[in-house]
Amino acid sequence: MLTRRADFLAANRGLRNAGPGFVLLTHPNGGQGVRYGITVTRKIGNAVVRNRMKRRFRELLRAALPARGLADTDHVLIGRDGGIERDFARLAEELDRALARAGEGRGDPRRGRGRRGSPKRT
């Protein structure tokens, strides 16, 4: 399990696969095995909602990563607004699809990062 901020930041430099309920980030970790991390921001809801979403994500990853996880790769799930209402089976299908895309080396294009990444206005 990922716990250090540096590991999450490193994963952010990897492939990004977005779905309606979550965003999956994958990044090679240099031979440290299959690791995972979960992030759910306060924007999603109160502590009860965030913890419920994290429990669902942990169960998804526990079922999917041993068979379909990428070897020696960090996997980070970032919760999205619609993730808490989505059917668990549908989330599992979306995770399988995202892991398959990451395994093929395909990811979604990067978006602008707000003020830090946007060009300077004149």
Side-chain angles (χ1 to χ4, degrees), residues 22-83:
F22 60 84
V23 176
L24 174 68
L25 304 175
T26 53
H27 186 261
N29 63 21
Q32 296 180 356
V34 176
R35 302 188 306 173
Y36 72 91
I38 298 170
T39 301
V40 181
T41 64
R42 273 187 270 164
K43 189 168 47 171
I44 301 302
N46 64 17
V48 173
V49 171
R50 292 193 315 267
N51 286 331
R52 180 171 179 229
M53 184 177 269
K54 286 189 277 190
R55 282 193 307 271
R56 296 180 84 199
F57 284 170
R58 265 193 300 273
E59 183 59 32
L60 281 172
L61 290 170
R62 194 162 49 95
L65 287 186
R68 293 177 293 286
L70 308 177
D72 295 327
T73 302
D74 291 340
H75 303 76
V76 175
L77 276 183
I78 302 172
R80 289 183 125 180
D81 235 354

